Amino acid sequence: MHNLKTTSLEVRDNQLWILDQQALPQQKNWLPAHTVGQLVSHIHALSVRGAPLIGLSASLLLALLAEQGLTKPQLAEALETLRASRPTAVNLMNNLDRMKQALAQENFVAALGEEALRLVAEDKVLCDNIARAGAALVKPGSRLLTHCNTGGLATAGVGTALGVIQRAFNEGHVASVWVDETRPLLQGGRLTAWELGELGIPYRLICDSMAASLMAKKQVDAIWVGADRIAANGDVANKIGTYSLAVLAHYHDIPFYVAAPHTTLDRNCPNGEAIPIEQRAAGEVTGVTGSFGSVHWAPENATVYNPAFDVTPAELISGWILDTGVVTPKQVRDGVFLPQK
Ligand SMILES: CSC[C@@H](O)[C@@H](O)C(=O)COP(=O)(O)O
């Protein structure tokens, strides 16, 4: 495979490397993801993260392993191991379904390589299309609020919700961005703040618990988030804390938008209750770990509840901004996300 580089993935000399998103922004470390074991552990550690990026990294690794001579049964096993590495984001499953079709072909080495590169190239276009559709909804002078990280780090392109914000800023419509720090893993505080700084977009970092009072003070004009899975009834799984924002937005009459590629849509998943939610380690809540080391503040044996995602019901969402355009609540109620006949 030829060399390629996105913000956080690199194929160099037929090996996959990932930008360690756990070490950012203090350190820019590229880690080897040369084996299934390495990539799965990077996915578990959230060194590779963001729904689209997880799917692309798994697809590229499979293609590279095929070039290195793994047999069809070995590749099929690798594919299933990768598929099981993160349960909530459906982009991983969607991308691997396409890789599975390539694997079924006689000339599977070439087919896997072509398909993985196609997925990366497509993702860039999907991001651009989402940004274009979403930016048209951003009114001049907007103070936007976002959660988690949905930028170039999480995709092969400009990102999803953050891609919308970037484009709307370039069009002169964004005054500033409120960035939720996004406990427990601080994707907002570490990654979104860093990306917005690099882009020169004015932002202010807040603790998640500060969003409510900002809305009460009329300091937020719209909320933009990404998605890990959109169910057929429009319910959306996204980073824990998204649901609270949607409830707050509803109470304060603030538009709440979800931006995602069509690869995040799961037409076979009837509603949010059917979306598997990943439960994560207690240590993420009892303290914090980063490039600076680990700090723990909770009592030694504290019991913890740590779901990585929550579900926002469709009725709290003002619009689903896909690469195919803006989907309205009425269209969702009329069944636009239902399985296609
Ligand atoms: C374009 S990224 C969309 C989502 O994956 C994003 O909003 C999110 O929830 C990421 O969670 P993470 O656990 O950091 O992978």
Side-chain angles (χ1 to χ4, degrees), residues 202-246:
Y203 70 86
R204 275 208 269 175
L205 186 58
I206 55 169
C207 298
D208 302 346
S209 49
M210 295 167 187
S213 66
L214 281 175
M215 292 187 216
K217 289 185 180 126
K218 303 203 180 306
Q219 296 292 309
V220 180
D221 299 307
I223 297 169
W224 282 87
V225 297
D228 283 77
R229 196 183 294 226
I230 302 173
N233 72 340
D235 291 353
V236 166
N238 192 49
K239 182 52 54 192
I240 193 75
T242 303
Y243 172 49
S244 354
L245 287 176

Side-chain angles (χ1 to χ4, degrees), residues 12 23 54 94 131 234:
R12 192 176 359 113
I54 297 167
N94 281 338

Side-chain angles (χ1 to χ4, degrees), residues 46 49-52 86 148-150 154 160 187 227-228 238-239 309:
L46 268 78
R49 52 151 297 283
R86 275 202 96 180
C148 198
N149 174 266
T150 60
T160 57
Q187 290 93 330
D228 283 77
N238 192 49
K239 182 52 54 192
F309 302 96

Side-chain angles (χ1 to χ4, degrees), residues 21-22 43 46 48-54 86 89 91 127 147-155 159-162 182 185 187 190-191 225-229 237-240 242 259-261 264 278 280 308-309:
Q21 298 200 36
Q22 279 304 309
I43 290 172
L46 268 78
V48 179
R49 52 151 297 283
L53 195 79
I54 297 167
R86 275 202 96 180
N91 312 57
C127 288
H147 191 68
C148 198
N149 174 266
T150 60
L153 286 167
T155 67
T160 57
L162 214 62
T182 318
L185 291 177
Q187 290 93 330
R190 294 184 299 103
L191 307 176
V225 297
D228 283 77
R229 196 183 294 226
N238 192 49
K239 182 52 54 192
I240 193 75
T242 303
T264 305
E278 179 185 358
R280 293 189 57 88
F309 302 96

Side-chain angles (χ1 to χ4, degrees), residues 5 16 18 35 44 56 59 65 80 104 139 152 173 210 212 217 221 224-225 244 261 264 277 288 308 315 329 333:
K5 192 162 180 183
L16 180 65
I18 60 109
T35 64
H44 287 165
L56 298 177
S59 304
L65 292 174
E80 293 312 326
K139 301 204 174 90
H173 289 183
M210 295 167 187
K217 289 185 180 126
D221 299 307
W224 282 87
V225 297
S244 354
T264 305
I277 301 292
V288 72
E315 61 261 31
R333 284 195 300 275

